[in-house]
Amino acid sequence: PMASSSKTRFDITPDGGGSAVRWTMTGDSPYFLKLMSVFANLDTMLGKDVETGLMQLKQAAESRVAPQP
């Protein structure tokens, strides 16, 4: 709904038989967004989009054949 500019980072580390993904975003946040975060749960607001993105990342990672040593 609004333009933004943030840096997004994915840190993927081995975890048991799979991988753990840490997805972080950093950037400037206008005052009204900081104020809104006091009254609204951003995890709830963005949760569905984050879950969709993680599922797409999982599908992309699992569709690739691992290189043979």
Tab-separated table of all heavy atoms in Angstrom:
chain	number	residue	atom	x	y	z
A	1	PRO	N	0.799	-1.216	0.000
A	1	PRO	CA	0.000	0.000	0.000
A	1	PRO	C	0.830	1.264	0.000
A	1	PRO	O	0.340	2.293	-0.391
A	1	PRO	CB	-0.831	-0.097	1.261
A	1	PRO	CG	-0.442	-1.360	1.952
A	1	PRO	CD	0.539	-2.058	1.119
A	2	MET	N	2.111	1.184	0.440
A	2	MET	CA	2.947	2.376	0.425
A	2	MET	C	4.371	1.975	0.046
A	2	MET	O	4.787	0.846	0.301
A	2	MET	CB	2.924	3.072	1.780
A	2	MET	CG	3.570	2.293	2.897
A	2	MET	SD	3.397	3.083	4.470
A	2	MET	CE	2.134	2.045	5.165
A	3	ALA	N	5.059	2.883	-0.585
A	3	ALA	CA	6.440	2.612	-0.987
A	3	ALA	C	7.335	2.575	0.245
A	3	ALA	O	7.119	3.298	1.208
A	3	ALA	CB	6.916	3.691	-1.947
A	4	SER	N	8.324	1.695	0.187
A	4	SER	CA	9.300	1.630	1.277
A	4	SER	C	10.618	1.130	0.708
A	4	SER	O	10.666	0.568	-0.378
A	4	SER	CB	8.820	0.707	2.396
A	4	SER	OG	8.808	-0.617	1.958
A	5	SER	N	11.651	1.351	1.468
A	5	SER	CA	12.970	0.892	1.065
A	5	SER	C	13.638	0.284	2.289
A	5	SER	O	13.986	1.002	3.226
A	5	SER	CB	13.783	2.071	0.535
A	5	SER	OG	15.094	1.650	0.250
A	6	SER	N	13.757	-1.025	2.274
A	6	SER	CA	14.372	-1.731	3.394
A	6	SER	C	15.359	-2.749	2.857
A	6	SER	O	15.226	-3.222	1.733
A	6	SER	CB	13.313	-2.459	4.223
A	6	SER	OG	12.421	-1.557	4.807
A	7	LYS	N	16.334	-3.082	3.664
A	7	LYS	CA	17.263	-4.147	3.313
A	7	LYS	C	16.729	-5.437	3.909
A	7	LYS	O	16.367	-5.488	5.076
A	7	LYS	CB	18.660	-3.849	3.852
A	7	LYS	CG	19.303	-2.663	3.177
A	7	LYS	CD	20.695	-2.433	3.677
A	7	LYS	CE	21.267	-1.211	2.962
A	7	LYS	NZ	22.623	-0.942	3.365
A	8	THR	N	16.659	-6.463	3.083
A	8	THR	CA	16.165	-7.757	3.510
A	8	THR	C	17.312	-8.745	3.498
A	8	THR	O	18.121	-8.756	2.578
A	8	THR	CB	15.048	-8.243	2.563
A	8	THR	OG1	14.025	-7.251	2.521
A	8	THR	CG2	14.461	-9.533	3.034
A	9	ARG	N	17.367	-9.561	4.526
A	9	ARG	CA	18.454	-10.538	4.638
A	9	ARG	C	17.878	-11.888	5.035
A	9	ARG	O	16.998	-11.976	5.892
A	9	ARG	CB	19.450	-10.068	5.689
A	9	ARG	CG	20.600	-10.992	5.894
A	9	ARG	CD	21.546	-10.458	6.948
A	9	ARG	NE	22.517	-11.469	7.282
A	9	ARG	CZ	23.802	-11.235	7.391
A	9	ARG	NH1	24.267	-10.024	7.234
A	9	ARG	NH2	24.630	-12.202	7.695
A	10	PHE	N	18.359	-12.944	4.385
A	10	PHE	CA	18.003	-14.307	4.731
A	10	PHE	C	19.264	-15.001	5.232
A	10	PHE	O	20.248	-15.078	4.509
A	10	PHE	CB	17.477	-15.081	3.513
A	10	PHE	CG	16.184	-14.559	2.974
A	10	PHE	CD1	16.162	-13.649	1.946
A	10	PHE	CD2	14.976	-15.004	3.493
A	10	PHE	CE1	14.970	-13.176	1.440
A	10	PHE	CE2	13.773	-14.545	2.992
A	10	PHE	CZ	13.772	-13.626	1.959
A	11	ASP	N	19.250	-15.480	6.463
A	11	ASP	CA	20.346	-16.283	6.998
A	11	ASP	C	19.823	-17.707	7.113
A	11	ASP	O	18.864	-17.967	7.841
A	11	ASP	CB	20.791	-15.770	8.369
A	11	ASP	CG	21.430	-14.392	8.282
A	11	ASP	OD1	22.310	-14.209	7.418
A	11	ASP	OD2	21.043	-13.507	9.060
A	12	ILE	N	20.436	-18.633	6.377
A	12	ILE	CA	19.995	-20.021	6.355
A	12	ILE	C	21.101	-20.878	6.966
A	12	ILE	O	22.247	-20.840	6.514
A	12	ILE	CB	19.681	-20.467	4.917
A	12	ILE	CG1	18.627	-19.530	4.317
A	12	ILE	CG2	19.222	-21.914	4.880
A	12	ILE	CD1	18.387	-19.712	2.840
A	13	THR	N	20.742	-21.622	8.017
A	13	THR	CA	21.719	-22.458	8.696
A	13	THR	C	21.168	-23.879	8.845
A	13	THR	O	19.958	-24.066	8.979
A	13	THR	CB	22.048	-21.895	10.099
A	13	THR	OG1	20.841	-21.746	10.838
A	13	THR	CG2	22.758	-20.559	10.008
A	14	PRO	N	22.064	-24.879	8.816
A	14	PRO	CA	21.611	-26.261	9.011
A	14	PRO	C	20.941	-26.420	10.375
A	14	PRO	O	21.361	-25.813	11.358
A	14	PRO	CB	22.894	-27.080	8.943
A	14	PRO	CG	23.887	-26.213	8.248
A	14	PRO	CD	23.510	-24.806	8.590
A	15	ASP	N	19.892	-27.225	10.408
A	15	ASP	CA	19.167	-27.456	11.655
A	15	ASP	C	18.562	-28.855	11.607
A	15	ASP	O	17.526	-29.063	10.982
A	15	ASP	CB	18.071	-26.411	11.829
A	15	ASP	CG	17.360	-26.518	13.165
A	15	ASP	OD1	17.909	-27.160	14.088
A	15	ASP	OD2	16.250	-25.973	13.292
A	16	GLY	N	19.251	-29.807	12.224
A	16	GLY	CA	18.781	-31.191	12.184
A	16	GLY	C	18.792	-31.704	10.757
A	16	GLY	O	19.778	-31.598	10.056
A	17	GLY	N	17.641	-32.218	10.301
A	17	GLY	CA	17.539	-32.717	8.931
A	17	GLY	C	17.096	-31.659	7.948
A	17	GLY	O	16.849	-31.954	6.786
A	18	GLY	N	16.987	-30.417	8.381
A	18	GLY	CA	16.520	-29.345	7.504
A	18	GLY	C	17.362	-28.095	7.675
A	18	GLY	O	18.561	-28.167	7.932
A	19	SER	N	16.717	-26.975	7.557
A	19	SER	CA	17.400	-25.689	7.678
A	19	SER	C	16.550	-24.727	8.491
A	19	SER	O	15.326	-24.785	8.461
A	19	SER	CB	17.630	-25.071	6.293
A	19	SER	OG	18.447	-25.899	5.508
A	20	ALA	N	17.223	-23.850	9.210
A	20	ALA	CA	16.554	-22.762	9.929
A	20	ALA	C	16.766	-21.490	9.122
A	20	ALA	O	17.861	-21.238	8.615
A	20	ALA	CB	17.131	-22.607	11.329
A	21	VAL	N	15.713	-20.712	8.980
A	21	VAL	CA	15.794	-19.474	8.205
A	21	VAL	C	15.509	-18.299	9.121
A	21	VAL	O	14.509	-18.281	9.831
A	21	VAL	CB	14.775	-19.470	7.039
A	21	VAL	CG1	14.842	-18.150	6.283
A	21	VAL	CG2	15.020	-20.639	6.105
A	22	ARG	N	16.401	-17.328	9.101
A	22	ARG	CA	16.163	-16.070	9.818
A	22	ARG	C	15.983	-15.002	8.750
A	22	ARG	O	16.868	-14.768	7.937
A	22	ARG	CB	17.337	-15.722	10.719
A	22	ARG	CG	17.162	-14.353	11.355
A	22	ARG	CD	18.396	-13.943	12.083
A	22	ARG	NE	18.119	-14.060	13.507
A	22	ARG	CZ	19.009	-13.927	14.439
A	22	ARG	NH1	20.264	-13.737	14.127
A	22	ARG	NH2	18.672	-13.999	15.697
A	23	TRP	N	14.829	-14.383	8.749
A	23	TRP	CA	14.459	-13.389	7.742
A	23	TRP	C	14.354	-12.056	8.453
A	23	TRP	O	13.504	-11.869	9.312
A	23	TRP	CB	13.127	-13.793	7.145
A	23	TRP	CG	12.567	-12.958	6.046
A	23	TRP	CD1	13.026	-11.754	5.587
A	23	TRP	CD2	11.421	-13.277	5.256
A	23	TRP	NE1	12.233	-11.318	4.568
A	23	TRP	CE2	11.240	-12.221	4.349
A	23	TRP	CE3	10.532	-14.330	5.242
A	23	TRP	CZ2	10.202	-12.207	3.433
A	23	TRP	CZ3	9.512	-14.308	4.332
A	23	TRP	CH2	9.346	-13.265	3.431
A	24	THR	N	15.235	-11.111	8.120
A	24	THR	CA	15.224	-9.813	8.783
A	24	THR	C	15.123	-8.695	7.759
A	24	THR	O	15.567	-8.828	6.620
A	24	THR	CB	16.491	-9.598	9.626
A	24	THR	OG1	17.640	-9.742	8.797
A	24	THR	CG2	16.581	-10.593	10.767
A	25	MET	N	14.501	-7.615	8.183
A	25	MET	CA	14.399	-6.408	7.366
A	25	MET	C	14.851	-5.233	8.222
A	25	MET	O	14.455	-5.127	9.385
A	25	MET	CB	12.960	-6.182	6.900
A	25	MET	CG	12.471	-7.208	5.920
A	25	MET	SD	10.737	-6.997	5.462
A	25	MET	CE	10.722	-5.358	4.777
A	26	THR	N	15.682	-4.379	7.650
A	26	THR	CA	16.120	-3.189	8.357
A	26	THR	C	15.939	-1.981	7.452
A	26	THR	O	16.011	-2.084	6.229
A	26	THR	CB	17.606	-3.284	8.773
A	26	THR	OG1	18.404	-3.518	7.607
A	26	THR	CG2	17.837	-4.405	9.770
A	27	GLY	N	15.687	-0.860	8.052
A	27	GLY	CA	15.525	0.375	7.295
A	27	GLY	C	14.870	1.435	8.158
A	27	GLY	O	14.453	1.188	9.295
A	28	ASP	N	14.781	2.606	7.593
A	28	ASP	CA	14.155	3.716	8.299
A	28	ASP	C	12.648	3.497	8.359
A	28	ASP	O	12.037	2.951	7.441
A	28	ASP	CB	14.454	5.039	7.600
A	28	ASP	CG	15.930	5.394	7.665
A	28	ASP	OD1	16.593	4.980	8.637
A	28	ASP	OD2	16.420	6.080	6.746
A	29	SER	N	12.074	3.931	9.450
A	29	SER	CA	10.631	3.809	9.645
A	29	SER	C	10.074	5.190	9.973
A	29	SER	O	10.490	5.809	10.958
A	29	SER	CB	10.349	2.838	10.794
A	29	SER	OG	8.975	2.682	10.977
A	30	PRO	N	9.139	5.674	9.144
A	30	PRO	CA	8.545	6.980	9.437
A	30	PRO	C	7.869	6.978	10.811
A	30	PRO	O	7.435	5.941	11.310
A	30	PRO	CB	7.498	7.167	8.335
A	30	PRO	CG	7.854	6.184	7.270
A	30	PRO	CD	8.596	5.069	7.940
A	31	TYR	N	7.748	8.143	11.381
A	31	TYR	CA	7.191	8.281	12.731
A	31	TYR	C	5.824	7.612	12.863
A	31	TYR	O	5.555	6.918	13.833
A	31	TYR	CB	7.098	9.765	13.118
A	31	TYR	CG	6.460	9.973	14.459
A	31	TYR	CD1	7.163	9.692	15.630
A	31	TYR	CD2	5.138	10.409	14.562
A	31	TYR	CE1	6.580	9.851	16.870
A	31	TYR	CE2	4.553	10.568	15.804
A	31	TYR	CZ	5.271	10.299	16.950
A	31	TYR	OH	4.692	10.452	18.171
A	32	PHE	N	4.947	7.805	11.869
A	32	PHE	CA	3.598	7.254	12.000
A	32	PHE	C	3.614	5.724	12.036
A	32	PHE	O	2.770	5.103	12.680
A	32	PHE	CB	2.651	7.769	10.911
A	32	PHE	CG	2.859	7.168	9.551
A	32	PHE	CD1	2.143	6.043	9.163
A	32	PHE	CD2	3.757	7.723	8.663
A	32	PHE	CE1	2.329	5.486	7.909
A	32	PHE	CE2	3.940	7.174	7.414
A	32	PHE	CZ	3.229	6.055	7.028
A	33	LEU	N	4.601	5.073	11.376
A	33	LEU	CA	4.694	3.614	11.460
A	33	LEU	C	5.182	3.173	12.838
A	33	LEU	O	4.738	2.155	13.362
A	33	LEU	CB	5.610	3.064	10.377
A	33	LEU	CG	5.024	3.021	8.975
A	33	LEU	CD1	6.057	2.482	7.985
A	33	LEU	CD2	3.765	2.183	8.920
A	34	LYS	N	6.087	3.936	13.408
A	34	LYS	CA	6.540	3.626	14.769
A	34	LYS	C	5.380	3.755	15.743
A	34	LYS	O	5.194	2.911	16.622
A	34	LYS	CB	7.684	4.555	15.176
A	34	LYS	CG	8.963	4.301	14.426
A	34	LYS	CD	10.038	5.275	14.829
A	34	LYS	CE	11.260	5.096	13.958
A	34	LYS	NZ	12.288	6.079	14.239
A	35	LEU	N	4.580	4.799	15.565
A	35	LEU	CA	3.425	4.997	16.421
A	35	LEU	C	2.409	3.871	16.221
A	35	LEU	O	1.854	3.340	17.181
A	35	LEU	CB	2.781	6.355	16.123
A	35	LEU	CG	1.581	6.739	16.968
A	35	LEU	CD1	1.962	6.818	18.444
A	35	LEU	CD2	1.012	8.057	16.491
A	36	MET	N	2.184	3.479	14.968
A	36	MET	CA	1.232	2.420	14.671
A	36	MET	C	1.665	1.100	15.316
A	36	MET	O	0.830	0.325	15.776
A	36	MET	CB	1.101	2.237	13.159
A	36	MET	CG	0.030	1.249	12.762
A	36	MET	SD	-0.194	1.126	10.999
A	36	MET	CE	1.137	0.016	10.574
A	37	SER	N	2.967	0.854	15.377
A	37	SER	CA	3.446	-0.407	15.940
A	37	SER	C	3.140	-0.529	17.429
A	37	SER	O	3.124	-1.624	17.977
A	37	SER	CB	4.939	-0.585	15.672
A	37	SER	OG	5.694	0.323	16.446
A	38	VAL	N	2.874	0.591	18.081
A	38	VAL	CA	2.484	0.557	19.485
A	38	VAL	C	1.075	-0.017	19.627
A	38	VAL	O	0.769	-0.741	20.568
A	38	VAL	CB	2.552	1.978	20.111
A	38	VAL	CG1	1.958	1.997	21.510
A	38	VAL	CG2	3.976	2.484	20.118
A	39	PHE	N	0.206	0.271	18.649
A	39	PHE	CA	-1.199	-0.114	18.735
A	39	PHE	C	-1.551	-1.346	17.907
A	39	PHE	O	-2.578	-1.965	18.128
A	39	PHE	CB	-2.080	1.056	18.281
A	39	PHE	CG	-1.891	2.278	19.128
A	39	PHE	CD1	-1.137	3.341	18.668
A	39	PHE	CD2	-2.438	2.350	20.398
A	39	PHE	CE1	-0.958	4.474	19.449
A	39	PHE	CE2	-2.258	3.473	21.194
A	39	PHE	CZ	-1.516	4.532	20.716
A	40	ALA	N	-0.718	-1.699	16.941
A	40	ALA	CA	-1.021	-2.832	16.061
A	40	ALA	C	0.108	-3.849	16.138
A	40	ALA	O	1.278	-3.485	16.213
A	40	ALA	CB	-1.181	-2.343	14.625
A	41	ASN	N	-0.240	-5.113	16.094
A	41	ASN	CA	0.749	-6.185	16.121
A	41	ASN	C	1.225	-6.440	14.690
A	41	ASN	O	0.478	-6.983	13.875
A	41	ASN	CB	0.124	-7.442	16.724
A	41	ASN	CG	1.121	-8.555	16.874
A	41	ASN	OD1	2.079	-8.665	16.115
A	41	ASN	ND2	0.896	-9.403	17.845
A	42	LEU	N	2.440	-6.033	14.388
A	42	LEU	CA	2.957	-6.180	13.022
A	42	LEU	C	3.126	-7.644	12.640
A	42	LEU	O	2.979	-8.004	11.475
A	42	LEU	CB	4.272	-5.421	12.863
A	42	LEU	CG	4.153	-3.899	12.992
A	42	LEU	CD1	5.524	-3.249	12.839
A	42	LEU	CD2	3.180	-3.340	11.977
A	43	ASP	N	3.414	-8.520	13.610
A	43	ASP	CA	3.501	-9.949	13.305
A	43	ASP	C	2.162	-10.466	12.781
A	43	ASP	O	2.111	-11.247	11.842
A	43	ASP	CB	3.918	-10.752	14.534
A	43	ASP	CG	5.379	-10.565	14.884
A	43	ASP	OD1	6.152	-10.168	13.994
A	43	ASP	OD2	5.747	-10.822	16.034
A	44	THR	N	1.079	-10.004	13.385
A	44	THR	CA	-0.248	-10.414	12.933
A	44	THR	C	-0.544	-9.832	11.556
A	44	THR	O	-1.073	-10.511	10.681
A	44	THR	CB	-1.327	-9.952	13.935
A	44	THR	OG1	-1.054	-10.552	15.201
A	44	THR	CG2	-2.714	-10.360	13.483
A	45	MET	N	-0.175	-8.570	11.352
A	45	MET	CA	-0.461	-7.906	10.083
A	45	MET	C	0.332	-8.510	8.931
A	45	MET	O	-0.163	-8.627	7.823
A	45	MET	CB	-0.161	-6.403	10.185
A	45	MET	CG	-1.112	-5.664	11.095
A	45	MET	SD	-0.650	-3.937	11.333
A	45	MET	CE	-0.661	-3.318	9.675
A	46	LEU	N	1.571	-8.886	9.182
A	46	LEU	CA	2.456	-9.371	8.119
A	46	LEU	C	2.615	-10.886	8.116
A	46	LEU	O	3.190	-11.441	7.180
A	46	LEU	CB	3.843	-8.730	8.268
A	46	LEU	CG	3.892	-7.213	8.174
A	46	LEU	CD1	5.298	-6.719	8.482
A	46	LEU	CD2	3.430	-6.738	6.826
A	47	GLY	N	2.112	-11.548	9.142
A	47	GLY	CA	2.345	-12.977	9.314
A	47	GLY	C	2.013	-13.822	8.103
A	47	GLY	O	2.785	-14.699	7.707
A	48	LYS	N	0.866	-13.582	7.476
A	48	LYS	CA	0.461	-14.385	6.324
A	48	LYS	C	1.450	-14.208	5.168
A	48	LYS	O	1.825	-15.178	4.510
A	48	LYS	CB	-0.944	-13.998	5.881
A	48	LYS	CG	-1.467	-14.842	4.750
A	48	LYS	CD	-2.885	-14.472	4.356
A	48	LYS	CE	-3.331	-15.329	3.192
A	48	LYS	NZ	-4.628	-14.920	2.661
A	49	ASP	N	1.890	-12.977	4.927
A	49	ASP	CA	2.850	-12.727	3.847
A	49	ASP	C	4.200	-13.375	4.146
A	49	ASP	O	4.852	-13.917	3.247
A	49	ASP	CB	3.033	-11.225	3.620
A	49	ASP	CG	1.776	-10.561	3.073
A	49	ASP	OD1	1.027	-11.234	2.328
A	49	ASP	OD2	1.541	-9.386	3.389
A	50	VAL	N	4.617	-13.328	5.397
A	50	VAL	CA	5.886	-13.957	5.789
A	50	VAL	C	5.794	-15.467	5.591
A	50	VAL	O	6.703	-16.092	5.032
A	50	VAL	CB	6.253	-13.601	7.249
A	50	VAL	CG1	7.429	-14.429	7.727
A	50	VAL	CG2	6.558	-12.122	7.372
A	51	GLU	N	4.692	-16.070	6.041
A	51	GLU	CA	4.520	-17.519	5.873
A	51	GLU	C	4.508	-17.909	4.396
A	51	GLU	O	5.111	-18.907	4.008
A	51	GLU	CB	3.231	-17.987	6.551
A	51	GLU	CG	3.306	-17.974	8.067
A	51	GLU	CD	4.381	-18.895	8.616
A	51	GLU	OE1	4.566	-20.013	8.089
A	51	GLU	OE2	5.055	-18.490	9.578
A	52	THR	N	3.841	-17.123	3.561
A	52	THR	CA	3.809	-17.397	2.117
A	52	THR	C	5.219	-17.326	1.539
A	52	THR	O	5.635	-18.198	0.771
A	52	THR	CB	2.887	-16.396	1.396
A	52	THR	OG1	1.556	-16.546	1.906
A	52	THR	CG2	2.883	-16.629	-0.107
A	53	GLY	N	5.972	-16.306	1.924
A	53	GLY	CA	7.343	-16.159	1.436
A	53	GLY	C	8.236	-17.306	1.869
A	53	GLY	O	9.047	-17.811	1.088
A	54	LEU	N	8.082	-17.754	3.112
A	54	LEU	CA	8.893	-18.868	3.595
A	54	LEU	C	8.531	-20.172	2.884
A	54	LEU	O	9.411	-20.977	2.572
A	54	LEU	CB	8.741	-19.024	5.111
A	54	LEU	CG	9.419	-17.936	5.944
A	54	LEU	CD1	9.033	-18.073	7.407
A	54	LEU	CD2	10.924	-17.974	5.763
A	55	MET	N	7.255	-20.374	2.592
A	55	MET	CA	6.846	-21.578	1.855
A	55	MET	C	7.414	-21.551	0.434
A	55	MET	O	7.874	-22.570	-0.083
A	55	MET	CB	5.324	-21.696	1.808
A	55	MET	CG	4.711	-22.138	3.122
A	55	MET	SD	5.366	-23.700	3.780
A	55	MET	CE	4.923	-24.830	2.487
A	56	GLN	N	7.415	-20.384	-0.200
A	56	GLN	CA	7.992	-20.265	-1.541
A	56	GLN	C	9.495	-20.512	-1.508
A	56	GLN	O	10.046	-21.155	-2.407
A	56	GLN	CB	7.678	-18.890	-2.133
A	56	GLN	CG	6.213	-18.713	-2.458
A	56	GLN	CD	5.869	-17.300	-2.876
A	56	GLN	OE1	6.635	-16.360	-2.678
A	56	GLN	NE2	4.680	-17.139	-3.433
A	57	LEU	N	10.170	-20.016	-0.482
A	57	LEU	CA	11.601	-20.258	-0.329
A	57	LEU	C	11.862	-21.748	-0.131
A	57	LEU	O	12.769	-22.320	-0.747
A	57	LEU	CB	12.147	-19.466	0.860
A	57	LEU	CG	13.619	-19.660	1.194
A	57	LEU	CD1	14.504	-19.204	0.045
A	57	LEU	CD2	13.966	-18.901	2.472
A	58	LYS	N	11.054	-22.406	0.688
A	58	LYS	CA	11.191	-23.844	0.926
A	58	LYS	C	11.004	-24.634	-0.369
A	58	LYS	O	11.795	-25.523	-0.683
A	58	LYS	CB	10.168	-24.298	1.969
A	58	LYS	CG	10.217	-25.768	2.328
A	58	LYS	CD	9.151	-26.082	3.382
A	58	LYS	CE	9.259	-27.461	3.954
A	58	LYS	NZ	8.928	-28.537	3.079
A	59	GLN	N	9.972	-24.304	-1.124
A	59	GLN	CA	9.712	-25.000	-2.387
A	59	GLN	C	10.871	-24.808	-3.365
A	59	GLN	O	11.288	-25.744	-4.043
A	59	GLN	CB	8.404	-24.524	-3.000
A	59	GLN	CG	7.199	-24.974	-2.225
A	59	GLN	CD	5.909	-24.299	-2.690
A	59	GLN	OE1	5.932	-23.339	-3.453
A	59	GLN	NE2	4.786	-24.807	-2.208
A	60	ALA	N	11.394	-23.583	-3.443
A	60	ALA	CA	12.503	-23.314	-4.356
A	60	ALA	C	13.752	-24.087	-3.932
A	60	ALA	O	14.443	-24.679	-4.767
A	60	ALA	CB	12.802	-21.812	-4.397
A	61	ALA	N	14.028	-24.125	-2.632
A	61	ALA	CA	15.218	-24.813	-2.129
A	61	ALA	C	15.105	-26.324	-2.347
A	61	ALA	O	16.081	-26.980	-2.712
A	61	ALA	CB	15.429	-24.503	-0.658
A	62	GLU	N	13.905	-26.874	-2.127
A	62	GLU	CA	13.733	-28.317	-2.244
A	62	GLU	C	13.631	-28.788	-3.688
A	62	GLU	O	13.786	-29.966	-3.966
A	62	GLU	CB	12.509	-28.748	-1.452
A	62	GLU	CG	12.726	-28.639	0.043
A	62	GLU	CD	11.507	-28.993	0.856
A	62	GLU	OE1	10.401	-29.111	0.289
A	62	GLU	OE2	11.655	-29.129	2.092
A	63	SER	N	13.389	-27.874	-4.606
A	63	SER	CA	13.264	-28.271	-6.006
A	63	SER	C	14.632	-28.373	-6.689
A	63	SER	O	14.744	-28.862	-7.792
A	63	SER	CB	12.382	-27.293	-6.779
A	63	SER	OG	13.025	-26.042	-6.918
A	64	ARG	N	15.655	-27.939	-6.023
A	64	ARG	CA	17.003	-27.963	-6.567
A	64	ARG	C	17.719	-29.236	-6.094
A	64	ARG	O	17.573	-29.654	-4.952
A	64	ARG	CB	17.778	-26.751	-6.137
A	64	ARG	CG	17.078	-25.462	-6.579
A	64	ARG	CD	18.041	-24.422	-6.934
A	64	ARG	NE	17.629	-23.135	-7.359
A	64	ARG	CZ	16.472	-22.657	-7.697
A	64	ARG	NH1	15.418	-23.400	-7.637
A	64	ARG	NH2	16.283	-21.438	-8.078
A	65	VAL	N	18.511	-29.818	-6.953
A	65	VAL	CA	19.294	-30.997	-6.602
A	65	VAL	C	20.601	-30.514	-5.962
A	65	VAL	O	21.293	-29.663	-6.534
A	65	VAL	CB	19.566	-31.867	-7.848
A	65	VAL	CG1	20.463	-33.039	-7.488
A	65	VAL	CG2	18.258	-32.327	-8.446
A	66	ALA	N	20.927	-31.075	-4.824
A	66	ALA	CA	22.156	-30.701	-4.141
A	66	ALA	C	23.362	-31.183	-4.945
A	66	ALA	O	23.348	-32.282	-5.500
A	66	ALA	CB	22.190	-31.295	-2.740
A	67	PRO	N	24.424	-30.367	-5.018
A	67	PRO	CA	25.636	-30.798	-5.731
A	67	PRO	C	26.256	-32.013	-5.067
A	67	PRO	O	26.241	-32.141	-3.842
A	67	PRO	CB	26.563	-29.583	-5.648
A	67	PRO	CG	25.975	-28.662	-4.651
A	67	PRO	CD	24.553	-29.060	-4.422
A	68	GLN	N	26.794	-32.905	-5.856
A	68	GLN	CA	27.449	-34.115	-5.335
A	68	GLN	C	28.891	-33.800	-4.978
A	68	GLN	O	29.586	-33.117	-5.725
A	68	GLN	CB	27.398	-35.228	-6.373
A	68	GLN	CG	25.978	-35.638	-6.749
A	68	GLN	CD	25.215	-36.179	-5.559
A	68	GLN	OE1	25.744	-36.985	-4.796
A	68	GLN	NE2	23.971	-35.760	-5.395
A	69	PRO	N	29.371	-34.313	-3.836
A	69	PRO	CA	30.780	-34.033	-3.427
A	69	PRO	C	31.767	-34.741	-4.312
A	69	PRO	O	31.530	-35.658	-5.001
A	69	PRO	CB	30.844	-34.557	-1.999
A	69	PRO	CG	29.629	-35.374	-1.760
A	69	PRO	CD	28.649	-35.082	-2.866
